[in-house]
């Protein structure tokens, strides 16, 4: 079954959270199960919405989940239940 | 000259306005919850759903205020003022409700072509303006829209199978049933005082529909809290 946009966003943020809040781009690509091109589009949007931020750690580029992103993951179940109930 | 027709038994005066205010309040709660999901997802259909429920809120608010004023709950009106309030209150109620239903039909049936939405709206104009009775046209057309929305929510419930989706389907089913009762009542074909009784049952069915919508909304939150508790336990 095709994943909804909200599910993809959740999977990406959850992947970062499961890695202690910071994840390498290659790991994120693997965990989010998207093509590089699609992942880039989602990352740009997540960074624009301040859910994810680009940081450098030990000389390597990482993506770090923001406080807003943590809040999104916490509220995801509520939002998902609502969208399912109302057929959105 | 606009004639003001008020339906229902005399003891029901004001109760209908209160039930409409309740519908507006519940629609507002769903609008706020929907706006929250829109902020989280930034998805266009969530935005349209918020808009649709927001319009329904304003629609029922307009009808409730008009009915309260016309039934003389707050002040006594002159004939001209009553006619003006009747016209403004009911026109706003009808137009906003139709726009809301069309948006809901497009969302639930996943119609993305704006031309079809425009076509649906344009067919309403002659349906209302050329009709001998705005009352029968409004409830007849509302029933058609709500029946389509109910069918979409039935399909959604069969797919999702949660208690909340079932409540949403039942809520819209009740709203569609209420429109049929309003429609039959508008023909005055029932014997004795039954048409007055039907007006009351139609209002009660509609209020029940909105209450079911409220239960669905509350359940959404409750289920989530349980899930969260379970997650913490793990």
């Amino acid at each position: 079954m095709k994943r909804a946009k909200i599910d993809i966003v959740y999977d990406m943020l959850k992947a970062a959270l499961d890695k202690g809040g910071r994840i390498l781009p290659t790991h994120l690509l693997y965990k989010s199960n998207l093509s590089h091109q699609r992942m880039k589009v989602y990352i740009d949007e997540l960074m624009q919405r301040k859910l994810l931020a680009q940081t450098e750690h030990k000389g390597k580029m990482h993506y770090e989940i923001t406080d807003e992103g943590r809040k999104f993951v916490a509220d995801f179940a509520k939002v998902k239940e609502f969208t399912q109930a109302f057929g959105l | 000259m606009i004639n003001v027709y008020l339906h229902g038994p005399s003891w029901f005066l004001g109760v209908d306005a209160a039930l409409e205010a309740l519908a507006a309040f519940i629609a507002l709660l769903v609008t706020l919850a929907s706006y929250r999901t829109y902020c989280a997802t930034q998805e266009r259909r969530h935005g349209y759903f918020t808009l649709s429920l927001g319009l329904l809120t304003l629609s029922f608010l307009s009808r409730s205020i008009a009915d309260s004023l016309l039934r003389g709950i707050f002040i006594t009106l002159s004939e001209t003022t009553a006619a003006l309030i009747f016209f403004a209150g009911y026109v706003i109620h009808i137009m906003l409700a139709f726009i809301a239903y069309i948006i809901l039909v497009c969302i639930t049936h996943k119609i993305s072509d704006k031309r079809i939405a425009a076509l649906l709206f344009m067919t309403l104009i002659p349906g209302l303006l050329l009709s001998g009775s705005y009352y029968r046209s409004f409830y007849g057309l509302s029933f058609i829209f709500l029946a389509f929305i109910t069918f979409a929510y039935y399909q959604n419930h069969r797919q999702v199978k949660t208690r909340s989706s079932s409540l949403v389907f039942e809520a819209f089913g009740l709203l569609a049933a209420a429109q049929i009762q309003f429609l039959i009542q508008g023909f005055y074909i029932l014997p004795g005082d039954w048409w007055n009784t039907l007006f009351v049952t139609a209002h009660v069915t509609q209020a029940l529909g909105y209450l079911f919508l409220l239960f669905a909304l509350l359940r959404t939150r409750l289920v989530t809290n349980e899930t969260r508790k379970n997650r913490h336990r793990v």
Side-chain angles (χ1 to χ4, degrees), chain B residues 2 7 37 41 43 48-49 61-62 65 76 95 103 109-110 134-135 138 141 143 149 155-156 176 180 193 204-205:
Chain B
I2 302 156
H7 300 258
T37 64
T41 62
E43 283 193 44
Y48 283 130
F49 187 75
L61 196 65
S62 157
I65 293 170
T76 315
M95 295 317 286
I103 296 172
H109 287 275
K110 298 185 173 47
Y134 83 89
Y135 187 87
F138 171 61
L141 291 165
F143 169 71
I149 296 166
Q155 287 180 314
N156 178 58
I180 274 286
D193 204 33
V204 172
T205 312

Side-chain angles (χ1 to χ4, degrees), chain A residues 1-13 32 34 38 41-46 48-49 51 72 76 79-80 83 88, chain B residues 37-46:
Chain A
M1 198 175 153
K2 196 183 160 196
R3 277 186 299 171
K5 189 179 164 187
I6 184 175
D7 295 312
I8 297 171
V9 169
Y10 173 75
D11 288 345
M12 291 175 78
L13 294 174
S32 60
L34 291 168
R38 293 285 297 154
V41 174
Y42 275 99
I43 283 178
D44 287 347
E45 194 186 322
L46 293 183
Q48 203 182 356
R49 286 169 58 187
L51 297 173
F72 178 91
F76 175 77
V79 172
K80 186 74 187 164
T83 55
L88 298 172
Chain B
T37 64
Y38 173 67
C39 289
T41 62
Q42 297 283 306
E43 283 193 44
R44 202 177 284 178
R45 61 197 164 139
H46 290 214

Side-chain angles (χ1 to χ4, degrees), chain A residues 1 4-6 9-10 45 49 51 71-79 81-88, chain B residues 33-34 36-37 40-43 45-46 49 107 153 156 159-160 164-165 168 213 217 220-221 223-224 228:
Chain A
M1 198 175 153
K5 189 179 164 187
I6 184 175
V9 169
Y10 173 75
E45 194 186 322
R49 286 169 58 187
L51 297 173
K71 197 171 166 286
F72 178 91
V73 173
D75 284 347
F76 175 77
K78 271 182 188 175
V79 172
E81 178 77 20
F82 182 86
T83 55
Q84 278 188 338
F86 286 89
L88 298 172
Chain B
S34 173
R36 203 176 152 193
T37 64
T41 62
Q42 297 283 306
E43 283 193 44
R45 61 197 164 139
H46 290 214
F49 187 75
I107 295 169
Y153 278 126
N156 178 58
Q159 201 181 342
V160 177
S164 326
S165 66
V168 172
L213 219 51
L217 187 66
T220 308
R221 308 284 149 191
V223 169
T224 314
R228 265 195 194 169

Side-chain angles (χ1 to χ4, degrees), chain B residues 7 22 54 78 104 116 128 136 146 163-164 173 175 179 183 200 215 228 233:
Chain B
H7 300 258
L22 174 77
S78 71
L104 272 179
I116 295 178
L128 276 174
R136 290 173 203 163
L146 284 165
R163 190 73 194 104
S164 326
L175 292 181
Q179 311 308 305
L183 182 66
V200 175
F215 295 148
R228 265 195 194 169
R233 255 180 238 143

Side-chain angles (χ1 to χ4, degrees), chain B residues 155-177:
Chain B
Q155 287 180 314
N156 178 58
H157 172 59
R158 280 189 65 185
Q159 201 181 342
V160 177
K161 289 191 179 85
T162 64
R163 190 73 194 104
S164 326
S165 66
S166 157
L167 282 167
V168 172
F169 155 59
E170 285 153 14
F172 279 95
L174 283 167
L175 292 181

